[in-house]
Amino acid sequence: MDWVKRRKISFTDQILTTLAISRIFLLFSLTASLFVSERLPAIRITRRIVKQICISWTATNHFSIWLATCLSIFYFLKIASFSNSIFLHLKWRVKKIVSGTLLASLLFLFLNILVINTHTDIFIYSIETNASFSVISSNYSQVHRLVLLTNTMFTLIPFTVTLTVFLLLIFSLWRHLKSMRYNAKGSRDVSTAAHIRALQMVVTFLLLYAVFSLSLLLQFCNIIYKQKNSVSLLFWTIGVAFPSGHSYVLILGNTKLRQAFISMVWWLRCRLSDVKPPVS
């Protein structure tokens, strides 16, 4: 709506929009992966299907995590207050820093896909050599395990960056509260509120990402010990909590998104009850 009215969109909204798109495709790729691994007959799982699922899940998971990391960096540079010359240099070039971080992450994406493709091709070739048909049978789970392990290793980098941002935000808030002791007490401090909101966003991302990593680890162990399909579905549901839960937190923490969400709920209620919304 802002884009239509003002013919431009803010840098934060660009990140949020791109993040939302990546989350939609991530949920789609997770669902497709679950369907193939649990429902599709093994005889139909070909080399092409395996590589498409691996690359799509790797790419969507990469952008989902790195865009959230870039959002944390943006909030940190905008809100935190340090007198260090290096920090001030980065603060004045926040858009370039965030854009450069996202572009640099493409190198990790390229390396991630390269590692997965190389090992997947070797693994599939070894299966096809020992089989009379050019498909991957029940050994597809081994490829899935390889993808889980490789993606988890590569996503430790944005997790470390976000954790560093979290610690620096806490330090910045501590310094700010310390300096506020010498100023008027009892007044509403905008900077403190901004720090707290940013910390809530970052903490939520870290916690949900930890849950997501735990679900990947559980899926990895599940493949090794070959548990029932219901256990796999449970681990998949836990993994979905990261992209879905973090998106809800971003909506509730952003004023414009929260207002748009409330308006949408009112519109849906009015459509369902055939009652016009109240005129504000």
Side-chain angles (χ1 to χ4, degrees):
M1 290 174 62
D2 287 341
W3 196 2
V4 172
K5 292 178 181 179
R6 305 175 184 178
R7 301 298 178 182
K8 64 179 181 179
I9 184 172
S10 66
F11 188 69
T12 310
D13 291 339
Q14 291 178 20
I15 299 177
L16 289 171
T17 304
T18 312
L19 178 60
I21 295 172
S22 69
R23 292 282 167 80
I24 292 172
F25 282 101
L26 174 60
L27 291 173
F28 176 79
S29 63
L30 286 172
T31 305
S33 177
L34 178 69
F35 174 79
V36 170
S37 60
E38 302 294 339
R39 292 289 179 265
L40 196 65
I43 195 67
R44 298 182 182 178
I45 304 177
T46 62
R47 174 198 293 259
R48 181 180 179 182
I49 293 176
V50 171
K51 298 190 72 171
Q52 285 179 347
I53 291 177
C54 291
I55 293 176
S56 64
W57 188 81
T58 300
T60 53
N61 182 59
H62 172 91
F63 284 110
S64 173
I65 294 176
W66 273 103
L67 284 168
T69 302
C70 289
L71 192 63
S72 301
I73 296 173
F74 179 82
Y75 286 145
F76 165 68
L77 293 177
K78 280 289 187 180
I79 295 172
S81 178
F82 294 103
S83 57
N84 186 276
S85 58
I86 298 178
F87 175 79
L88 294 176
H89 177 79
L90 297 176
K91 190 179 184 70
W92 293 333
R93 294 163 177 80
V94 57
K95 292 184 179 180
K96 292 183 179 180
I97 297 300
V98 173
S99 301
T101 302
L102 187 58
L103 288 176
S105 72
L106 296 179
L107 175 62
F108 296 110
L109 176 61
F110 173 77
L111 293 176
N112 195 357
I113 293 178
L114 182 63
V115 170
I116 290 177
N117 269 343
T118 303
H119 287 82
T120 302
D121 286 337
I122 295 174
F123 188 81
I124 293 176
Y125 178 77
S126 65
I127 296 175
E128 293 176 352
T129 303
N130 299 324
S132 59
F133 48 87
S134 178
V135 295
I136 303 173
S137 57
S138 59
N139 289 313
Y140 167 75
S141 60
Q142 303 300 323
V143 180
H144 190 200
R145 185 178 65 178
L146 169 68
V147 175
L148 289 176
L149 181 62
T150 306
N151 276 283
T152 303
M153 295 299 294
F154 272 94
T155 52
L156 286 177
I157 300 173
F159 179 81
T160 305
V161 173
T162 307
L163 183 60
T164 304
V165 167
F166 170 69
L167 296 176
L168 289 174
L169 274 172
I170 291 180
F171 182 65
S172 174
L173 178 60
W174 174 77
R175 289 188 56 184
H176 176 73
L177 293 176
K178 187 178 180 180
S179 65
M180 284 294 295
R181 294 178 183 177
Y182 303 99
N183 298 328
K185 296 183 179 180
S187 59
R188 182 173 177 83
D189 185 12
V190 178
S191 180
T192 302
H195 273 83
I196 294 175
R197 284 196 301 270
L199 284 171
Q200 289 174 346
M201 297 288 184
V202 176
V203 167
T204 305
F205 171 74
L206 290 173
L207 291 177
L208 289 174
Y209 179 75
V211 173
F212 180 71
S213 300
L214 177 61
S215 72
L216 295 182
L217 178 62
L218 293 175
Q219 290 180 50
F220 184 83
C221 297
N222 180 58
I223 292 172
I224 296 177
Y225 297 108
K226 298 180 180 180
Q227 299 295 324
K228 297 180 179 179
N229 291 343
S230 58
V231 179
S232 301
L233 182 60
L234 175 62
F235 295 157
W236 177 84
T237 305
I238 296 174
V240 170
F242 166 63
S244 303
H246 188 240
S247 299
Y248 280 117
V249 172
L250 290 177
I251 291 173
L252 297 177
N254 186 284
T255 304
K256 289 190 293 184
L257 292 179
R258 186 170 62 250
Q259 291 176 350
F261 174 74
I262 295 174
S263 300
M264 184 188 70
V265 171
W266 269 106
W267 182 82
L268 288 174
R269 288 184 60 183
C270 294
R271 293 283 293 182
L272 293 174
S273 59
D274 293 329
V275 176
K276 295 184 179 179
V279 180
S280 56

